Amino acid sequence: MPDTVKKLWEPGNDFKLESNLHHYMQWLKEIHNLNFNSYHELWQWSASSIDTFWKTIWEYFEIQYSGNVNQPVVGREMPHYEWFPGTQLNYAEHIFRKASDDRPAIIAVNENQTTRIIDWGILSDSVSSIQQYLKECGVKPGDRIAAYLPCIPEATISFLAVNSLGAVWSSCSPDFGTQSVIDRFAQIEPKVLIAVDQYTYNGKSFDRTETLIELQKSLPSVKKLILISEREPDPQLTNYSKWSDLLKIEPKPVFFERVPFSHPIWILYSSGTTGLPKAITHSQGGILLEQLKYLTFHNNIKKGERCFWYTTTGWMMWNYIQGALLCSGVLVLYDGSPSYPDLNILWKLIQDTKINHFGTSASFIMSCLKNQVNPNQFDLSSLLSIGSTGSTLPEEGFEWIYSNVKSDLWLASISGGTDVCSAFVG
């Protein structure tokens, strides 16, 4: 290592031996007689033996499916690949197989510092009620369901209900302007719209009634509006059902519609800087395997650990962090500004909700540095890792984290993209 490079942190031997990745490597050795002496050797094998690698991921994570796994992949050139042909599965089914009375499913906090704890029983009952209503609305596999929601538990509940039926999810956050939402949702012709009529950000309440009225006029494919509201809806809104009423539907065991591996799971969008936003579709099976692989091995999420990424429902990181539930983690959500009432708020969130894995942006870290924020005033003993994305984290950002947050901490500056809904570099 050159003298000019300063080592900020290195995992101890116990950290390495207890990591999920080490466990996987031991499993490969015991089950498949594959022995790797370093991460690079493992990576080289995964990149050169694609069929075998993804077959082991399927086996290691005990994927629940129907059909037969004869061949992990057919085809050798993009875009003419077909992964796990002849199999059917469901993403939400793999979420609910991790249900446990030992830990909550979701911990949600808002700007008012109101905390909601959603246990697995409440999550299952809520998903069941919404699922039944969607079925009454005629929702079937392949139908698109659009959501105009903040980062609240209702968004996760809605997504799981939609996904469990084999329908396709797509979301925008309510800070998007009316035309921006229409530009996205009009392309996919959603059958149902799930939305709020107001949201709070930076200590202010924003009314979105006019946007909803315009969406109903501009999206003729929408047959029903599910409205999440604490007030009497505007009389101009039509053909809606209130979320609070739907939760009164008697819950049943959640039904899981298994769909082909390549069946769409959700639709994300490009930024729209060159023309209309481009719709980007991911598959049920592809996202399932990628999230299990990345969150388990590269984020090292373990059973019961609390996982957070600051995001809105309009950014791919919202879709990404839902996968914490796949890995027996607890999903921590925050609805509000990362700088209201000041830049201490998310560091306080770590303390209050005992976050283990904290995800943020490079710009947030650099803002904390420039504004001389002092995270050490909070109890950050639970914190194991910080993920930084959105842009490259400068050298001084790394220095600041290790000097002002925690010296024994795994800081990962990652780079990913909406096109893969995961990371290229971690």
Side-chain angles (χ1 to χ4, degrees):
M1 181 177 292
D3 293 338
T4 55
V5 176
K6 178 183 177 183
K7 184 185 291 184
L8 293 172
W9 179 81
E10 182 178 6
N13 197 49
D14 287 347
F15 184 103
K16 296 176 185 177
L17 294 178
E18 293 171 5
S19 69
N20 292 329
L21 191 59
H22 179 76
H23 184 275
Y24 171 63
M25 292 171 73
Q26 292 299 109
W27 179 85
L28 287 174
K29 184 176 180 180
E30 294 169 9
I31 304 300
H32 291 280
N33 199 29
L34 292 166
N35 192 29
F36 304 101
N37 296 313
S38 68
Y39 174 81
H40 184 77
E41 286 185 12
L42 176 65
W43 171 80
Q44 188 63 59
W45 166 75
S46 73
S48 59
S49 303
I50 295 174
D51 298 46
T52 307
F53 168 69
W54 286 105
K55 181 72 177 297
T56 68
I57 293 296
W58 185 282
E59 294 172 3
Y60 183 79
F61 289 107
E62 298 178 343
I63 300 302
Q64 298 177 331
Y65 68 100
S66 304
N68 297 299
V69 183
N70 297 316
Q71 210 172 344
V73 60
V74 175
R76 279 290 179 261
E77 292 183 5
M78 287 290 287
H80 308 293
Y81 280 100
E82 185 179 4
W83 289 96
F84 293 95
T87 62
Q88 300 85 40
L89 44 69
N90 184 277
Y91 178 96
E93 183 177 2
H94 289 80
I95 294 272
F96 278 100
R97 73 173 178 174
K98 298 296 184 178
S100 173
D101 293 332
D102 298 334
R103 61 183 183 276
I106 301 171
I107 301 173
V109 182
N110 63 19
E111 281 191 349
N112 296 325
Q113 296 303 291
T114 301
T115 300
R116 297 165 60 191
I117 297 178
I118 313 294
D119 65 29
W120 280 95
I122 294 173
L123 181 64
S124 178
D125 288 351
S126 301
V127 169
S128 172
S129 296
I130 302 303
Q131 180 192 68
Q132 291 181 65
Y133 179 75
L134 291 174
K135 290 181 73 173
E136 289 176 11
C137 293
V139 172
K140 59 186 184 300
D143 286 340
R144 280 77 60 207
I145 308 300
Y148 186 60
L149 298 174
C151 191
I152 53 178
E154 286 80 1
T156 299
I157 291 165
S158 298
F159 162 64
L160 292 174
V162 167
N163 181 267
S164 65
L165 293 173
V168 184
W169 172 265
S170 192
S171 59
C172 290
S173 57
D175 58 302
F176 281 31
T178 304
Q179 192 58 49
S180 293
V181 181
I182 294 171
D183 287 346
R184 287 161 172 78
F185 289 163
Q187 298 183 59
I188 67 170
E189 299 181 335
K191 179 176 282 188
V192 176
L193 175 65
I194 307 170
V196 293
D197 58 3
Q198 63 179 350
Y199 75 100
T200 299
Y201 189 85
N202 224 25
K204 299 177 182 178
S205 180
F206 296 88
D207 192 295
R208 280 293 178 254
T209 301
E210 291 302 317
T211 295
L212 293 189
I213 293 170
E214 189 58 40
L215 289 178
Q216 285 198 316
K217 292 178 181 176
S218 303
L219 301 173
S221 63
V222 173
K223 306 304 179 187
K224 202 75 177 182
L225 169 66
I226 298 176
L227 185 62
I228 301 171
S229 179
E230 298 177 354
R231 58 186 183 175
E232 189 63 30
D234 189 285
Q236 293 184 73
L237 291 173
T238 60
N239 204 23
Y240 67 84
S241 295
K242 291 194 71 172
W243 178 274
S244 55
D245 292 333
L246 300 186
L247 291 186
K248 297 173 185 177
I249 297 173
E250 186 68 27
K252 303 175 182 177
V254 179
F255 167 77
F256 301 106
E257 180 75 40
R258 290 183 176 178
V259 292
F261 186 95
S262 59
H263 185 88
I265 183 172
W266 51 50
I267 300 170
L268 307 183
Y269 304 90
S270 66
S271 61
T273 52
T274 54
L276 285 176
K278 312 301 188 295
I280 300 172
T281 306
H282 298 103
S283 71
Q284 287 250 4
I287 287 295
L288 174 64
L289 294 190
E290 174 61 21
Q291 287 193 347
L292 284 170
K293 183 261 293 178
Y294 199 91
L295 289 159
T296 302
F297 298 151
H298 298 280
N299 287 149
N300 203 40
I301 293 173
K302 296 181 179 179
K303 183 178 180 180
E305 291 183 342
R306 299 183 174 193
C307 309
F308 169 83
W309 209 291
Y310 181 78
T311 183
T312 72
T313 60
W315 188 28
M316 57 144 284
M317 294 309 300
W318 181 88
N319 304 73
Y320 172 84
I321 201 59
Q322 304 304 308
L325 296 172
L326 287 174
C327 307
S328 301
V330 178
L331 180 61
V332 181
L333 304 174
Y334 186 73
D335 175 26
S337 167
S339 58
Y340 178 82
D342 54 48
L343 285 164
N344 285 307
I345 194 64
L346 295 185
W347 302 111
K348 182 178 183 295
L349 182 71
I350 296 173
Q351 170 189 270
D352 294 349
T353 60
K354 297 179 172 57
I355 290 170
N356 303 113
H357 303 281
F358 176 78
T360 185
S361 64
S363 61
F364 174 78
I365 293 173
M366 296 308 293
S367 292
C368 289
L369 182 158
K370 292 173 183 175
N371 288 276
Q372 299 182 327
V373 173
N374 178 27
N376 278 325
Q377 65 183 291
F378 303 105
D379 178 4
L380 305 180
S381 57
S382 63
L383 191 60
L384 301 173
S385 75
I386 291 181
S388 171
T389 191
S391 59
T392 303
L393 182 63
E395 180 180 338
E396 56 265 35
F398 280 84
E399 293 273 7
W400 183 82
I401 289 289
Y402 284 105
S403 297
N404 296 274
V405 178
K406 205 172 183 182
S407 59
D408 185 15
L409 182 72
W410 179 18
L411 172 59
S413 180
I414 70 172
S415 177
T418 304
D419 40 359
V420 292
C421 199
S422 182
F424 292 115
V425 178

